């Protein structure tokens, strides 16, 4: 590569070459930026979960209280029931007119798989009304939860399984 000089004795031609060093530097910086940010964009999926408040519903005679403990034990109206017998037990209640609502009261650490099995067995038994019991006023990430036995109220939201 030749450079221009102030010496008049040398040829007065200017260099016709492009200096590639700054272009290569910029390309390497862009490559590093893309290598760092591309995995972050593909692995960080941000999901905003819906937040809803519901008015507490008073417990009536036409509802079934189904409690699910952390270890998966089931209690229907405070009586223990096995997961295998749940469909037959709920089928008896499904014959009633009007059909009672199942209100599931599950420990917050209960595995989703257990709840999915309970909902599937309720649907197989013919139950059409299903609700979840929550603590009113409980906010996500609350530091000190209220005692569960004293404040559990049905959420009032019902779903068809």
């Amino acid at each position: 590569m030749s450079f221009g000089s102030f010496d008049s004795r040398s040829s007065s031609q200017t260099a016709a070459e492009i200096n590639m060093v700054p272009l290569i530097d910029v390309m390497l910086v862009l490559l590093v930026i893309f290598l760092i940010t591309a995995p972050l964009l593909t692995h960080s999926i941000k999901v905003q979960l819906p937040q809803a408040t519901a008015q507490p519903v008073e417990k009536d005679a036409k509802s079934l209280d189904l409690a699910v403990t952390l270890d998966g034990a089931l209690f229907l109206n405070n009586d223990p029931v096995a997961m295998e017998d749940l469909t037959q037990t709920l089928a008896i209640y499904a014959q009633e007119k009007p059909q009672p609502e199942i209100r599931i009261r599950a420990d917050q650490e209960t595995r989703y798989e257990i709840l999915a099995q309970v909902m599937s067995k309720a649907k197989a038994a013919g139950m059409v009304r299903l609700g979840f019991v929550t603590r009113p006023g409980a906010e996500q990430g609350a530091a000190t939860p209220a005692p569960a036995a004293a404040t559990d109220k049905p959420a009032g939201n019902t779903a068809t399984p």
Side-chain angles (χ1 to χ4, degrees), residues 53-70:
T53 58
Q55 299 297 326
V57 176
E58 298 300 321
K59 185 170 176 126
D60 56 356
K62 297 293 181 189
S63 66
L64 301 172
D65 184 32
L66 181 65
V68 183
T69 62
L70 179 62

Side-chain angles (χ1 to χ4, degrees), residues 20-34:
M20 296 294 291
V21 175
L23 180 63
I24 293 171
D25 289 345
V26 169
M27 294 303 289
L28 286 175
V29 168
L30 289 174
L31 178 66
V32 169
I33 289 172
F34 285 124

Side-chain angles (χ1 to χ4, degrees), residues 108 135-148 151:
Q108 73 180 22
R135 268 183 261 146
E139 295 182 15
Q140 187 176 9
T144 57
T151 61

Side-chain angles (χ1 to χ4, degrees), residues 2 5 24 29 69 106 111 113 127 138:
S2 63
S5 68
I24 293 171
V29 168
T69 62
R111 292 183 46 189
E113 176 184 10
M127 301 299 287

Side-chain angles (χ1 to χ4, degrees), residues 108-156:
Q108 73 180 22
E109 298 295 324
T110 302
R111 292 183 46 189
Y112 179 73
E113 176 184 10
I114 295 170
L115 292 175
Q117 288 174 356
V118 167
M119 290 188 294
S120 174
K121 289 185 183 289
K123 184 175 182 178
M127 301 299 287
V128 294
R129 295 183 64 210
L130 175 71
F132 288 93
V133 177
T134 60
R135 268 183 261 146
E139 295 182 15
Q140 187 176 9
T144 57
T151 61
D152 280 351
K153 297 273 187 201

